[in-house]
Amino acid sequence: MVILLGVTALLTAWASWIGSLHGGNQAENFAQSNNLSAEGNSMYNEAMQFMLQDMLLYNELMNVLIDMHFAETQGDEPTYERLTWRFEQLETNMSYEFEAAFWASFEDGASPFTNPDFVDSYVADALYVLAEAEELFEQAGIYGGVSDSFGLVTVFFTVALFLFGVASTFKMRRNKLIVIGIASGAFVIALVFMLFLPLPADFSLTQFFGN
């Protein structure tokens, strides 16, 4: 009986400890997920602002090109030169990606902002960060579920520990065997359940006690 009490006590402590490690991983992943979500949303908003600026710049560039073409057809050289200078000044505000898409749009005959791939390029980094945040959030949920399962195992081991201890107080052999049988059932259920639960990621005893 003393051996059963000792083994049950050790397994109870083990289940409680592993459950707390999973709980710690859950909290850490939730914190990282929240941080990445905030960062990703900030990046997304910033990307939308950049895209809006490029859309306004695109409209202004197209208006200047139209005026340049009109001045050229009218033979208005001074106006054409002034507009050319204006276009060159505006062109300095173009990013490399936007400039490439701008000139490519003349071949396609459509605004670069009608190209889904070009539009998505603005928010690609933000979406990557948000996807990583979502992955961490889901992993935190998994850790939380496993932590709760270890908590349930701890409850079963605690019940078994209590019943093993109480069994010794019964004088009638029949009653004692009944209590021991119930305790053994709780012990086996907890042990089998625990064996199917995963350990924390990269878990190693050496990290706690040294190499």
Side-chain angles (χ1 to χ4, degrees):
M1 185 63 68
V2 174
I3 295 176
L4 285 175
L5 286 171
V7 171
T8 305
L10 289 174
L11 290 177
T12 302
W14 173 265
S16 178
W17 179 46
I18 299 300
S20 68
L21 292 180
H22 279 288
N25 288 338
Q26 177 191 21
E28 181 179 354
N29 279 30
F30 268 136
Q32 292 180 358
S33 176
N34 289 335
N35 292 337
L36 285 178
S37 293
E39 181 182 352
N41 287 326
S42 177
M43 292 172 63
Y44 188 90
N45 292 333
E46 185 178 3
M48 288 293 98
Q49 292 177 358
F50 281 134
M51 186 173 71
L52 178 60
Q53 291 174 4
D54 285 347
M55 292 177 70
L56 294 174
L57 179 59
Y58 173 79
N59 291 333
E60 191 169 358
L61 286 166
M62 293 303 296
N63 288 334
V64 172
L65 283 176
I66 292 172
D67 292 341
M68 286 174 60
H69 178 71
F70 181 77
E72 185 179 22
T73 58
Q74 295 297 313
D76 188 350
E77 189 66 23
T79 301
Y80 180 81
E81 292 180 357
R82 177 176 59 80
L83 290 171
T84 300
W85 178 85
R86 174 60 178 163
F87 183 86
E88 291 174 350
Q89 294 301 308
L90 290 173
E91 199 174 16
T92 60
N93 296 323
M94 300 169 69
S95 65
Y96 174 80
E97 294 80 5
F98 176 50
E99 184 176 9
F102 177 81
W103 294 114
S105 67
F106 288 94
E107 299 178 4
D108 301 334
S111 166
F113 296 99
T114 61
N115 184 346
D117 292 335
F118 176 67
V119 173
D120 291 343
S121 68
Y122 283 92
V123 296
D125 291 340
L127 293 179
Y128 177 82
V129 173
L130 288 174
E132 188 176 356
E134 180 65 22
E135 183 178 351
L136 286 172
F137 183 84
E138 293 176 358
Q139 186 61 49
I142 294 174
Y143 279 130
V146 176
S147 178
D148 292 341
S149 296
F150 270 102
L152 181 60
V153 168
T154 302
V155 170
F156 272 94
F157 276 136
T158 302
V159 169
L161 184 64
F162 170 76
L163 292 177
F164 280 136
V166 169
S168 60
T169 63
F170 288 94
K171 296 181 179 180
M172 294 184 61
R173 178 178 176 81
R174 179 174 176 274
N175 293 338
K176 181 180 295 188
L177 291 177
I178 291 174
V179 174
I180 292 176
I182 297 174
S184 299
F187 178 88
V188 171
I189 291 174
L191 180 61
V192 172
F193 190 20
M194 186 178 69
L195 291 176
F196 284 95
L197 293 176
L199 293 173
D202 301 324
F203 174 80
S204 175
L205 289 176
T206 57
Q207 65 181 312
F208 301 100
F209 302 106
N211 295 326

